[in-house]
Amino acid sequence: MKTTRKCRALLAVSLNLVALFFSITAFITTYWCEGTQRVPKPNCSNDRKHNCINYSGNDTSQNKVHYSWETGDDRFLFRHFHTGIWYSCEENINGGGEKCRSFIDLAPASERGVLWLSVVSEVLYIMLLVVGFSLMCLELFHSSNVIDGLKLNAFAAVFTVLSGLLGMVAHMMYSQVFQVTVSLGPEDWRPHTWDYGWSFCLAWGSFTCCMAASVTTLNSYTKTVIEFRHKRKMFEQGLREEQTFIDQEAFNYFRDRSVQSVSSSVEVFPGPAGSSGGKALVPRGSMDMGEIRESLGEEQC
């Protein structure tokens, strides 16, 4: 039983560690959502010859009208962007690299409170995962007493379940805020196409591992309690059977002793001639008294 309990505890610790690693990675990265943004092409210049608008003629005077033969989506660039809880980064079309902006500033004012609740829930989610992981490690490596191990196991399961619920709420709130920001966010940021990124997948993978760890911990606690109850029941049943056997032996012993004491205090004498030929059982004490009376009568005569 001890080996099986250790294996279940080790599995729960491993799942909790994976959930903690996934949650921290998702929290600090900026790939929860990614896609493309449609932005106007910049004017062509000596430094930029591609992905720009080339007006007819070389004269760039402001007093003249310039024409461009590009229509529709040809007039726009589709730059890549990716967004996390803290920052939103998009490709810099005027130079290399990326430029990032705070996603909290991009969110509509009506949704910033929900976004901050999501951030707080994510932080609490990670903190409760750390607490649950610590309790599981303590139960696995430093608990020699089974009762203390069960207590640690129960507390670890409670903290892990609470962390999973907080993580689920935080992920859902962030999804809601991002969808509202897509519709009501700044014009120069609104995505043309978007989808959830690998950080978002890591966040939900962390939630899945967290709930699996909590279920494993609860299963370990329940199985250990059931095994102890079964062993206690078998012990009490064996104790009752042993007590019944001892009582029966004692009863037989005292019964034999009482029979022996009675048989030793009784003598068998033949009955009178006119009787049916049976034998009379006369106690020794009565015979002695009769003999004494006969001797007393003879002395008086």
PDB file of all heavy atoms in Angstrom, residues 21-35 80-84 98 171 174 194-207:
ATOM      1  N   PHE A  21       4.694  25.163 -14.445  1.00  0.00           N
ATOM      2  CA  PHE A  21       5.586  25.615 -15.514  1.00  0.00           C
ATOM      3  C   PHE A  21       4.794  26.217 -16.674  1.00  0.00           C
ATOM      4  O   PHE A  21       5.146  27.294 -17.193  1.00  0.00           O
ATOM      5  CB  PHE A  21       6.430  24.436 -16.001  1.00  0.00           C
ATOM      6  CG  PHE A  21       7.284  24.757 -17.189  1.00  0.00           C
ATOM      7  CD1 PHE A  21       8.431  25.520 -17.059  1.00  0.00           C
ATOM      8  CD2 PHE A  21       6.938  24.286 -18.462  1.00  0.00           C
ATOM      9  CE1 PHE A  21       9.219  25.819 -18.160  1.00  0.00           C
ATOM     10  CE2 PHE A  21       7.714  24.573 -19.560  1.00  0.00           C
ATOM     11  CZ  PHE A  21       8.863  25.345 -19.407  1.00  0.00           C
ATOM     12  N   PHE A  22       3.713  25.570 -17.076  1.00  0.00           N
ATOM     13  CA  PHE A  22       2.886  26.092 -18.167  1.00  0.00           C
ATOM     14  C   PHE A  22       2.257  27.433 -17.803  1.00  0.00           C
ATOM     15  O   PHE A  22       2.206  28.355 -18.635  1.00  0.00           O
ATOM     16  CB  PHE A  22       1.792  25.087 -18.520  1.00  0.00           C
ATOM     17  CG  PHE A  22       2.272  23.921 -19.343  1.00  0.00           C
ATOM     18  CD1 PHE A  22       1.401  22.896 -19.700  1.00  0.00           C
ATOM     19  CD2 PHE A  22       3.578  23.837 -19.757  1.00  0.00           C
ATOM     20  CE1 PHE A  22       1.840  21.825 -20.466  1.00  0.00           C
ATOM     21  CE2 PHE A  22       4.032  22.763 -20.512  1.00  0.00           C
ATOM     22  CZ  PHE A  22       3.157  21.759 -20.865  1.00  0.00           C
ATOM     23  N   SER A  23       1.769  27.569 -16.580  1.00  0.00           N
ATOM     24  CA  SER A  23       1.094  28.809 -16.187  1.00  0.00           C
ATOM     25  C   SER A  23       2.064  29.984 -16.130  1.00  0.00           C
ATOM     26  O   SER A  23       1.728  31.091 -16.580  1.00  0.00           O
ATOM     27  CB  SER A  23       0.414  28.616 -14.828  1.00  0.00           C
ATOM     28  OG  SER A  23       1.373  28.331 -13.820  1.00  0.00           O
ATOM     29  N   ILE A  24       3.261  29.771 -15.585  1.00  0.00           N
ATOM     30  CA  ILE A  24       4.237  30.863 -15.525  1.00  0.00           C
ATOM     31  C   ILE A  24       4.680  31.256 -16.930  1.00  0.00           C
ATOM     32  O   ILE A  24       4.807  32.447 -17.257  1.00  0.00           O
ATOM     33  CB  ILE A  24       5.439  30.451 -14.655  1.00  0.00           C
ATOM     34  CG1 ILE A  24       5.000  30.272 -13.198  1.00  0.00           C
ATOM     35  CG2 ILE A  24       6.551  31.488 -14.741  1.00  0.00           C
ATOM     36  CD1 ILE A  24       6.098  29.781 -12.296  1.00  0.00           C
ATOM     37  N   THR A  25       4.902  30.254 -17.797  1.00  0.00           N
ATOM     38  CA  THR A  25       5.308  30.550 -19.178  1.00  0.00           C
ATOM     39  C   THR A  25       4.233  31.348 -19.914  1.00  0.00           C
ATOM     40  O   THR A  25       4.530  32.328 -20.609  1.00  0.00           O
ATOM     41  CB  THR A  25       5.612  29.249 -19.929  1.00  0.00           C
ATOM     42  OG1 THR A  25       6.611  28.514 -19.218  1.00  0.00           O
ATOM     43  CG2 THR A  25       6.118  29.540 -21.327  1.00  0.00           C
ATOM     44  N   ALA A  26       2.978  30.945 -19.760  1.00  0.00           N
ATOM     45  CA  ALA A  26       1.884  31.672 -20.423  1.00  0.00           C
ATOM     46  C   ALA A  26       1.722  33.077 -19.858  1.00  0.00           C
ATOM     47  O   ALA A  26       1.396  34.015 -20.591  1.00  0.00           O
ATOM     48  CB  ALA A  26       0.583  30.889 -20.282  1.00  0.00           C
ATOM     49  N   PHE A  27       1.971  33.237 -18.562  1.00  0.00           N
ATOM     50  CA  PHE A  27       1.753  34.536 -17.924  1.00  0.00           C
ATOM     51  C   PHE A  27       2.759  35.584 -18.389  1.00  0.00           C
ATOM     52  O   PHE A  27       2.418  36.770 -18.492  1.00  0.00           O
ATOM     53  CB  PHE A  27       1.836  34.361 -16.407  1.00  0.00           C
ATOM     54  CG  PHE A  27       1.472  35.590 -15.630  1.00  0.00           C
ATOM     55  CD1 PHE A  27       0.170  36.060 -15.609  1.00  0.00           C
ATOM     56  CD2 PHE A  27       2.433  36.276 -14.908  1.00  0.00           C
ATOM     57  CE1 PHE A  27      -0.168  37.196 -14.896  1.00  0.00           C
ATOM     58  CE2 PHE A  27       2.106  37.411 -14.195  1.00  0.00           C
ATOM     59  CZ  PHE A  27       0.804  37.868 -14.181  1.00  0.00           C
ATOM     60  N   ILE A  28       3.986  35.154 -18.677  1.00  0.00           N
ATOM     61  CA  ILE A  28       5.026  36.134 -19.019  1.00  0.00           C
ATOM     62  C   ILE A  28       5.234  36.278 -20.526  1.00  0.00           C
ATOM     63  O   ILE A  28       6.018  37.130 -20.955  1.00  0.00           O
ATOM     64  CB  ILE A  28       6.361  35.759 -18.352  1.00  0.00           C
ATOM     65  CG1 ILE A  28       6.853  34.404 -18.853  1.00  0.00           C
ATOM     66  CG2 ILE A  28       6.227  35.763 -16.842  1.00  0.00           C
ATOM     67  CD1 ILE A  28       8.207  33.988 -18.289  1.00  0.00           C
ATOM     68  N   THR A  29       4.571  35.468 -21.331  1.00  0.00           N
ATOM     69  CA  THR A  29       4.737  35.564 -22.784  1.00  0.00           C
ATOM     70  C   THR A  29       3.588  36.359 -23.406  1.00  0.00           C
ATOM     71  O   THR A  29       2.561  36.611 -22.769  1.00  0.00           O
ATOM     72  CB  THR A  29       4.801  34.165 -23.420  1.00  0.00           C
ATOM     73  OG1 THR A  29       3.665  33.393 -23.008  1.00  0.00           O
ATOM     74  CG2 THR A  29       6.070  33.450 -22.990  1.00  0.00           C
ATOM     75  N   THR A  30       3.762  36.711 -24.673  1.00  0.00           N
ATOM     76  CA  THR A  30       2.800  37.591 -25.370  1.00  0.00           C
ATOM     77  C   THR A  30       2.213  36.906 -26.611  1.00  0.00           C
ATOM     78  O   THR A  30       2.023  37.543 -27.637  1.00  0.00           O
ATOM     79  CB  THR A  30       3.484  38.898 -25.789  1.00  0.00           C
ATOM     80  OG1 THR A  30       4.596  38.584 -26.635  1.00  0.00           O
ATOM     81  CG2 THR A  30       3.964  39.678 -24.587  1.00  0.00           C
ATOM     82  N   TYR A  31       1.910  35.621 -26.476  1.00  0.00           N
ATOM     83  CA  TYR A  31       1.338  34.903 -27.617  1.00  0.00           C
ATOM     84  C   TYR A  31       0.010  34.250 -27.252  1.00  0.00           C
ATOM     85  O   TYR A  31      -0.291  33.155 -27.688  1.00  0.00           O
ATOM     86  CB  TYR A  31       2.327  33.851 -28.134  1.00  0.00           C
ATOM     87  CG  TYR A  31       3.495  34.439 -28.882  1.00  0.00           C
ATOM     88  CD1 TYR A  31       4.645  34.834 -28.213  1.00  0.00           C
ATOM     89  CD2 TYR A  31       3.432  34.635 -30.259  1.00  0.00           C
ATOM     90  CE1 TYR A  31       5.717  35.390 -28.899  1.00  0.00           C
ATOM     91  CE2 TYR A  31       4.500  35.181 -30.952  1.00  0.00           C
ATOM     92  CZ  TYR A  31       5.637  35.553 -30.266  1.00  0.00           C
ATOM     93  OH  TYR A  31       6.701  36.105 -30.951  1.00  0.00           O
ATOM     94  N   TRP A  32      -0.786  34.957 -26.453  1.00  0.00           N
ATOM     95  CA  TRP A  32      -2.126  34.465 -26.160  1.00  0.00           C
ATOM     96  C   TRP A  32      -3.001  34.535 -27.402  1.00  0.00           C
ATOM     97  O   TRP A  32      -3.767  33.617 -27.677  1.00  0.00           O
ATOM     98  CB  TRP A  32      -2.738  35.291 -25.027  1.00  0.00           C
ATOM     99  CG  TRP A  32      -2.189  34.956 -23.678  1.00  0.00           C
ATOM    100  CD1 TRP A  32      -0.902  35.131 -23.250  1.00  0.00           C
ATOM    101  CD2 TRP A  32      -2.906  34.389 -22.587  1.00  0.00           C
ATOM    102  NE1 TRP A  32      -0.775  34.707 -21.962  1.00  0.00           N
ATOM    103  CE2 TRP A  32      -1.992  34.254 -21.519  1.00  0.00           C
ATOM    104  CE3 TRP A  32      -4.217  34.000 -22.395  1.00  0.00           C
ATOM    105  CZ2 TRP A  32      -2.352  33.736 -20.286  1.00  0.00           C
ATOM    106  CZ3 TRP A  32      -4.594  33.490 -21.165  1.00  0.00           C
ATOM    107  CH2 TRP A  32      -3.668  33.350 -20.125  1.00  0.00           C
ATOM    108  N   CYS A  33      -2.884  35.644 -28.139  1.00  0.00           N
ATOM    109  CA  CYS A  33      -3.611  35.806 -29.395  1.00  0.00           C
ATOM    110  C   CYS A  33      -2.654  36.403 -30.418  1.00  0.00           C
ATOM    111  O   CYS A  33      -1.820  37.256 -30.084  1.00  0.00           O
ATOM    112  CB  CYS A  33      -4.832  36.716 -29.225  1.00  0.00           C
ATOM    113  SG  CYS A  33      -6.040  36.122 -28.018  1.00  0.00           S
ATOM    114  N   GLU A  34      -2.772  35.961 -31.656  1.00  0.00           N
ATOM    115  CA  GLU A  34      -1.915  36.473 -32.722  1.00  0.00           C
ATOM    116  C   GLU A  34      -2.686  36.480 -34.030  1.00  0.00           C
ATOM    117  O   GLU A  34      -3.657  35.735 -34.195  1.00  0.00           O
ATOM    118  CB  GLU A  34      -0.633  35.646 -32.845  1.00  0.00           C
ATOM    119  CG  GLU A  34      -0.847  34.161 -32.986  1.00  0.00           C
ATOM    120  CD  GLU A  34       0.463  33.399 -32.982  1.00  0.00           C
ATOM    121  OE1 GLU A  34       1.495  34.013 -33.295  1.00  0.00           O
ATOM    122  OE2 GLU A  34       0.455  32.198 -32.675  1.00  0.00           O
ATOM    123  N   GLY A  35      -2.244  37.327 -34.935  1.00  0.00           N
ATOM    124  CA  GLY A  35      -2.911  37.444 -36.235  1.00  0.00           C
ATOM    125  C   GLY A  35      -2.272  38.539 -37.061  1.00  0.00           C
ATOM    126  O   GLY A  35      -1.075  38.808 -36.944  1.00  0.00           O
ATOM    127  N   HIS A  80       2.082  41.327 -38.939  1.00  0.00           N
ATOM    128  CA  HIS A  80       1.820  40.323 -37.908  1.00  0.00           C
ATOM    129  C   HIS A  80       1.845  40.979 -36.526  1.00  0.00           C
ATOM    130  O   HIS A  80       2.619  41.896 -36.277  1.00  0.00           O
ATOM    131  CB  HIS A  80       2.873  39.211 -37.992  1.00  0.00           C
ATOM    132  CG  HIS A  80       2.683  38.145 -36.963  1.00  0.00           C
ATOM    133  ND1 HIS A  80       1.697  37.190 -37.043  1.00  0.00           N
ATOM    134  CD2 HIS A  80       3.366  37.888 -35.809  1.00  0.00           C
ATOM    135  CE1 HIS A  80       1.777  36.386 -36.006  1.00  0.00           C
ATOM    136  NE2 HIS A  80       2.785  36.774 -35.238  1.00  0.00           N
ATOM    137  N   PHE A  81       0.995  40.491 -35.634  1.00  0.00           N
ATOM    138  CA  PHE A  81       0.984  40.970 -34.248  1.00  0.00           C
ATOM    139  C   PHE A  81       0.727  39.790 -33.316  1.00  0.00           C
ATOM    140  O   PHE A  81       0.193  38.752 -33.710  1.00  0.00           O
ATOM    141  CB  PHE A  81      -0.091  42.051 -34.053  1.00  0.00           C
ATOM    142  CG  PHE A  81      -1.472  41.487 -33.816  1.00  0.00           C
ATOM    143  CD1 PHE A  81      -1.993  41.382 -32.534  1.00  0.00           C
ATOM    144  CD2 PHE A  81      -2.257  41.050 -34.887  1.00  0.00           C
ATOM    145  CE1 PHE A  81      -3.247  40.870 -32.312  1.00  0.00           C
ATOM    146  CE2 PHE A  81      -3.520  40.541 -34.678  1.00  0.00           C
ATOM    147  CZ  PHE A  81      -4.021  40.447 -33.388  1.00  0.00           C
ATOM    148  N   HIS A  82       1.110  39.950 -32.079  1.00  0.00           N
ATOM    149  CA  HIS A  82       0.818  38.952 -31.039  1.00  0.00           C
ATOM    150  C   HIS A  82       0.606  39.686 -29.722  1.00  0.00           C
ATOM    151  O   HIS A  82       1.253  40.696 -29.436  1.00  0.00           O
ATOM    152  CB  HIS A  82       1.938  37.911 -30.926  1.00  0.00           C
ATOM    153  CG  HIS A  82       3.304  38.497 -30.789  1.00  0.00           C
ATOM    154  ND1 HIS A  82       3.879  38.814 -29.575  1.00  0.00           N
ATOM    155  CD2 HIS A  82       4.213  38.846 -31.738  1.00  0.00           C
ATOM    156  CE1 HIS A  82       5.087  39.303 -29.763  1.00  0.00           C
ATOM    157  NE2 HIS A  82       5.325  39.349 -31.077  1.00  0.00           N
ATOM    158  N   THR A  83      -0.310  39.171 -28.934  1.00  0.00           N
ATOM    159  CA  THR A  83      -0.763  39.858 -27.720  1.00  0.00           C
ATOM    160  C   THR A  83      -0.751  38.902 -26.541  1.00  0.00           C
ATOM    161  O   THR A  83      -1.105  37.726 -26.683  1.00  0.00           O
ATOM    162  CB  THR A  83      -2.185  40.412 -27.905  1.00  0.00           C
ATOM    163  OG1 THR A  83      -2.200  41.259 -29.044  1.00  0.00           O
ATOM    164  CG2 THR A  83      -2.637  41.195 -26.693  1.00  0.00           C
ATOM    165  N   GLY A  84      -0.333  39.416 -25.394  1.00  0.00           N
ATOM    166  CA  GLY A  84      -0.389  38.672 -24.140  1.00  0.00           C
ATOM    167  C   GLY A  84      -1.209  39.415 -23.108  1.00  0.00           C
ATOM    168  O   GLY A  84      -1.981  40.336 -23.419  1.00  0.00           O
ATOM    169  N   GLU A  98      10.124  44.863 -33.713  1.00  0.00           N
ATOM    170  CA  GLU A  98       8.742  45.013 -33.308  1.00  0.00           C
ATOM    171  C   GLU A  98       8.603  46.202 -32.371  1.00  0.00           C
ATOM    172  O   GLU A  98       9.568  46.624 -31.731  1.00  0.00           O
ATOM    173  CB  GLU A  98       8.245  43.749 -32.585  1.00  0.00           C
ATOM    174  CG  GLU A  98       8.179  42.509 -33.452  1.00  0.00           C
ATOM    175  CD  GLU A  98       7.707  41.300 -32.663  1.00  0.00           C
ATOM    176  OE1 GLU A  98       7.818  41.348 -31.412  1.00  0.00           O
ATOM    177  OE2 GLU A  98       7.232  40.342 -33.275  1.00  0.00           O
ATOM    178  N   HIS A 171      -8.704  32.829 -17.357  1.00  0.00           N
ATOM    179  CA  HIS A 171      -8.589  32.627 -18.802  1.00  0.00           C
ATOM    180  C   HIS A 171      -9.849  33.079 -19.534  1.00  0.00           C
ATOM    181  O   HIS A 171      -9.774  33.696 -20.608  1.00  0.00           O
ATOM    182  CB  HIS A 171      -8.313  31.154 -19.092  1.00  0.00           C
ATOM    183  CG  HIS A 171      -7.087  30.633 -18.409  1.00  0.00           C
ATOM    184  ND1 HIS A 171      -6.861  29.287 -18.196  1.00  0.00           N
ATOM    185  CD2 HIS A 171      -6.013  31.284 -17.899  1.00  0.00           C
ATOM    186  CE1 HIS A 171      -5.701  29.142 -17.581  1.00  0.00           C
ATOM    187  NE2 HIS A 171      -5.170  30.338 -17.395  1.00  0.00           N
ATOM    188  N   TYR A 174      -9.980  36.935 -19.627  1.00  0.00           N
ATOM    189  CA  TYR A 174      -9.069  37.511 -20.617  1.00  0.00           C
ATOM    190  C   TYR A 174      -9.623  37.340 -22.031  1.00  0.00           C
ATOM    191  O   TYR A 174      -9.523  38.259 -22.861  1.00  0.00           O
ATOM    192  CB  TYR A 174      -7.695  36.859 -20.518  1.00  0.00           C
ATOM    193  CG  TYR A 174      -6.742  37.370 -21.574  1.00  0.00           C
ATOM    194  CD1 TYR A 174      -6.066  38.567 -21.389  1.00  0.00           C
ATOM    195  CD2 TYR A 174      -6.536  36.661 -22.758  1.00  0.00           C
ATOM    196  CE1 TYR A 174      -5.206  39.057 -22.358  1.00  0.00           C
ATOM    197  CE2 TYR A 174      -5.676  37.144 -23.735  1.00  0.00           C
ATOM    198  CZ  TYR A 174      -5.016  38.335 -23.529  1.00  0.00           C
ATOM    199  OH  TYR A 174      -4.172  38.816 -24.509  1.00  0.00           O
ATOM    200  N   TRP A 194      -7.368  37.079 -36.608  1.00  0.00           N
ATOM    201  CA  TRP A 194      -6.671  36.687 -35.389  1.00  0.00           C
ATOM    202  C   TRP A 194      -7.117  35.304 -34.961  1.00  0.00           C
ATOM    203  O   TRP A 194      -8.164  34.801 -35.362  1.00  0.00           O
ATOM    204  CB  TRP A 194      -6.916  37.693 -34.262  1.00  0.00           C
ATOM    205  CG  TRP A 194      -8.348  37.749 -33.789  1.00  0.00           C
ATOM    206  CD1 TRP A 194      -9.372  38.483 -34.316  1.00  0.00           C
ATOM    207  CD2 TRP A 194      -8.905  37.010 -32.701  1.00  0.00           C
ATOM    208  NE1 TRP A 194     -10.532  38.264 -33.636  1.00  0.00           N
ATOM    209  CE2 TRP A 194     -10.276  37.376 -32.622  1.00  0.00           C
ATOM    210  CE3 TRP A 194      -8.402  36.116 -31.765  1.00  0.00           C
ATOM    211  CZ2 TRP A 194     -11.126  36.841 -31.655  1.00  0.00           C
ATOM    212  CZ3 TRP A 194      -9.239  35.595 -30.798  1.00  0.00           C
ATOM    213  CH2 TRP A 194     -10.594  35.956 -30.754  1.00  0.00           C
ATOM    214  N   ASP A 195      -6.300  34.706 -34.130  1.00  0.00           N
ATOM    215  CA  ASP A 195      -6.595  33.397 -33.564  1.00  0.00           C
ATOM    216  C   ASP A 195      -5.827  33.268 -32.254  1.00  0.00           C
ATOM    217  O   ASP A 195      -4.925  34.057 -31.965  1.00  0.00           O
ATOM    218  CB  ASP A 195      -6.214  32.269 -34.522  1.00  0.00           C
ATOM    219  CG  ASP A 195      -6.949  30.971 -34.202  1.00  0.00           C
ATOM    220  OD1 ASP A 195      -7.656  30.940 -33.175  1.00  0.00           O
ATOM    221  OD2 ASP A 195      -6.798  29.997 -34.963  1.00  0.00           O
ATOM    222  N   TYR A 196      -6.170  32.266 -31.469  1.00  0.00           N
ATOM    223  CA  TYR A 196      -5.472  32.043 -30.205  1.00  0.00           C
ATOM    224  C   TYR A 196      -4.096  31.423 -30.468  1.00  0.00           C
ATOM    225  O   TYR A 196      -3.947  30.558 -31.327  1.00  0.00           O
ATOM    226  CB  TYR A 196      -6.279  31.147 -29.286  1.00  0.00           C
ATOM    227  CG  TYR A 196      -7.568  31.793 -28.818  1.00  0.00           C
ATOM    228  CD1 TYR A 196      -8.810  31.348 -29.307  1.00  0.00           C
ATOM    229  CD2 TYR A 196      -7.552  32.846 -27.908  1.00  0.00           C
ATOM    230  CE1 TYR A 196      -9.988  31.946 -28.885  1.00  0.00           C
ATOM    231  CE2 TYR A 196      -8.727  33.446 -27.485  1.00  0.00           C
ATOM    232  CZ  TYR A 196      -9.932  32.998 -27.977  1.00  0.00           C
ATOM    233  OH  TYR A 196     -11.091  33.602 -27.578  1.00  0.00           O
ATOM    234  N   GLY A 197      -3.096  31.875 -29.690  1.00  0.00           N
ATOM    235  CA  GLY A 197      -1.728  31.428 -29.875  1.00  0.00           C
ATOM    236  C   GLY A 197      -1.325  30.329 -28.909  1.00  0.00           C
ATOM    237  O   GLY A 197      -2.130  29.793 -28.134  1.00  0.00           O
ATOM    238  N   TRP A 198      -0.023  30.012 -28.936  1.00  0.00           N
ATOM    239  CA  TRP A 198       0.464  28.900 -28.124  1.00  0.00           C
ATOM    240  C   TRP A 198       0.487  29.227 -26.635  1.00  0.00           C
ATOM    241  O   TRP A 198       0.375  28.320 -25.788  1.00  0.00           O
ATOM    242  CB  TRP A 198       1.852  28.478 -28.598  1.00  0.00           C
ATOM    243  CG  TRP A 198       2.907  29.550 -28.584  1.00  0.00           C
ATOM    244  CD1 TRP A 198       3.254  30.375 -29.609  1.00  0.00           C
ATOM    245  CD2 TRP A 198       3.754  29.898 -27.482  1.00  0.00           C
ATOM    246  NE1 TRP A 198       4.262  31.223 -29.221  1.00  0.00           N
ATOM    247  CE2 TRP A 198       4.592  30.946 -27.918  1.00  0.00           C
ATOM    248  CE3 TRP A 198       3.888  29.432 -26.180  1.00  0.00           C
ATOM    249  CZ2 TRP A 198       5.545  31.537 -27.101  1.00  0.00           C
ATOM    250  CZ3 TRP A 198       4.826  30.013 -25.357  1.00  0.00           C
ATOM    251  CH2 TRP A 198       5.654  31.053 -25.813  1.00  0.00           C
ATOM    252  N   SER A 199       0.586  30.489 -26.273  1.00  0.00           N
ATOM    253  CA  SER A 199       0.519  30.846 -24.849  1.00  0.00           C
ATOM    254  C   SER A 199      -0.864  30.553 -24.280  1.00  0.00           C
ATOM    255  O   SER A 199      -0.999  30.089 -23.136  1.00  0.00           O
ATOM    256  CB  SER A 199       0.851  32.330 -24.661  1.00  0.00           C
ATOM    257  OG  SER A 199       2.173  32.609 -25.028  1.00  0.00           O
ATOM    258  N   PHE A 200      -1.890  30.820 -25.087  1.00  0.00           N
ATOM    259  CA  PHE A 200      -3.258  30.513 -24.659  1.00  0.00           C
ATOM    260  C   PHE A 200      -3.444  29.007 -24.495  1.00  0.00           C
ATOM    261  O   PHE A 200      -4.092  28.547 -23.543  1.00  0.00           O
ATOM    262  CB  PHE A 200      -4.239  31.072 -25.681  1.00  0.00           C
ATOM    263  CG  PHE A 200      -5.675  31.021 -25.251  1.00  0.00           C
ATOM    264  CD1 PHE A 200      -6.174  31.975 -24.377  1.00  0.00           C
ATOM    265  CD2 PHE A 200      -6.525  30.044 -25.723  1.00  0.00           C
ATOM    266  CE1 PHE A 200      -7.503  31.940 -23.981  1.00  0.00           C
ATOM    267  CE2 PHE A 200      -7.849  30.002 -25.341  1.00  0.00           C
ATOM    268  CZ  PHE A 200      -8.338  30.955 -24.455  1.00  0.00           C
ATOM    269  N   CYS A 201      -2.853  28.241 -25.410  1.00  0.00           N
ATOM    270  CA  CYS A 201      -2.917  26.780 -25.302  1.00  0.00           C
ATOM    271  C   CYS A 201      -2.171  26.291 -24.065  1.00  0.00           C
ATOM    272  O   CYS A 201      -2.622  25.366 -23.378  1.00  0.00           O
ATOM    273  CB  CYS A 201      -2.336  26.134 -26.560  1.00  0.00           C
ATOM    274  SG  CYS A 201      -3.258  26.476 -28.068  1.00  0.00           S
ATOM    275  N   LEU A 202      -1.034  26.920 -23.751  1.00  0.00           N
ATOM    276  CA  LEU A 202      -0.301  26.560 -22.539  1.00  0.00           C
ATOM    277  C   LEU A 202      -1.120  26.875 -21.288  1.00  0.00           C
ATOM    278  O   LEU A 202      -1.096  26.117 -20.310  1.00  0.00           O
ATOM    279  CB  LEU A 202       1.027  27.311 -22.477  1.00  0.00           C
ATOM    280  CG  LEU A 202       2.187  26.771 -23.307  1.00  0.00           C
ATOM    281  CD1 LEU A 202       3.438  27.612 -23.050  1.00  0.00           C
ATOM    282  CD2 LEU A 202       2.469  25.315 -22.998  1.00  0.00           C
ATOM    283  N   ALA A 203      -1.841  27.989 -21.312  1.00  0.00           N
ATOM    284  CA  ALA A 203      -2.650  28.363 -20.153  1.00  0.00           C
ATOM    285  C   ALA A 203      -3.735  27.319 -19.876  1.00  0.00           C
ATOM    286  O   ALA A 203      -3.921  26.884 -18.731  1.00  0.00           O
ATOM    287  CB  ALA A 203      -3.286  29.737 -20.382  1.00  0.00           C
ATOM    288  N   TRP A 204      -4.428  26.887 -20.923  1.00  0.00           N
ATOM    289  CA  TRP A 204      -5.458  25.860 -20.732  1.00  0.00           C
ATOM    290  C   TRP A 204      -4.849  24.488 -20.476  1.00  0.00           C
ATOM    291  O   TRP A 204      -5.447  23.657 -19.783  1.00  0.00           O
ATOM    292  CB  TRP A 204      -6.401  25.832 -21.925  1.00  0.00           C
ATOM    293  CG  TRP A 204      -7.391  26.947 -21.896  1.00  0.00           C
ATOM    294  CD1 TRP A 204      -7.401  28.065 -22.673  1.00  0.00           C
ATOM    295  CD2 TRP A 204      -8.516  27.066 -21.018  1.00  0.00           C
ATOM    296  NE1 TRP A 204      -8.455  28.876 -22.337  1.00  0.00           N
ATOM    297  CE2 TRP A 204      -9.163  28.295 -21.323  1.00  0.00           C
ATOM    298  CE3 TRP A 204      -9.030  26.280 -20.001  1.00  0.00           C
ATOM    299  CZ2 TRP A 204     -10.296  28.716 -20.652  1.00  0.00           C
ATOM    300  CZ3 TRP A 204     -10.164  26.708 -19.322  1.00  0.00           C
ATOM    301  CH2 TRP A 204     -10.789  27.914 -19.654  1.00  0.00           C
ATOM    302  N   GLY A 205      -3.658  24.235 -21.029  1.00  0.00           N
ATOM    303  CA  GLY A 205      -2.957  23.002 -20.679  1.00  0.00           C
ATOM    304  C   GLY A 205      -2.564  22.980 -19.217  1.00  0.00           C
ATOM    305  O   GLY A 205      -2.625  21.936 -18.552  1.00  0.00           O
ATOM    306  N   SER A 206      -2.172  24.154 -18.688  1.00  0.00           N
ATOM    307  CA  SER A 206      -1.874  24.257 -17.268  1.00  0.00           C
ATOM    308  C   SER A 206      -3.111  23.974 -16.421  1.00  0.00           C
ATOM    309  O   SER A 206      -3.035  23.270 -15.401  1.00  0.00           O
ATOM    310  CB  SER A 206      -1.331  25.654 -16.965  1.00  0.00           C
ATOM    311  OG  SER A 206      -1.212  25.861 -15.587  1.00  0.00           O
ATOM    312  N   PHE A 207      -4.242  24.509 -16.837  1.00  0.00           N
ATOM    313  CA  PHE A 207      -5.493  24.237 -16.112  1.00  0.00           C
ATOM    314  C   PHE A 207      -5.819  22.744 -16.127  1.00  0.00           C
ATOM    315  O   PHE A 207      -6.215  22.167 -15.100  1.00  0.00           O
ATOM    316  CB  PHE A 207      -6.627  25.042 -16.739  1.00  0.00           C
ATOM    317  CG  PHE A 207      -7.996  24.608 -16.299  1.00  0.00           C
ATOM    318  CD1 PHE A 207      -8.472  24.952 -15.049  1.00  0.00           C
ATOM    319  CD2 PHE A 207      -8.799  23.856 -17.146  1.00  0.00           C
ATOM    320  CE1 PHE A 207      -9.732  24.547 -14.640  1.00  0.00           C
ATOM    321  CE2 PHE A 207     -10.060  23.451 -16.746  1.00  0.00           C
ATOM    322  CZ  PHE A 207     -10.533  23.796 -15.491  1.00  0.00           C
TER     323      PHE A 207
END
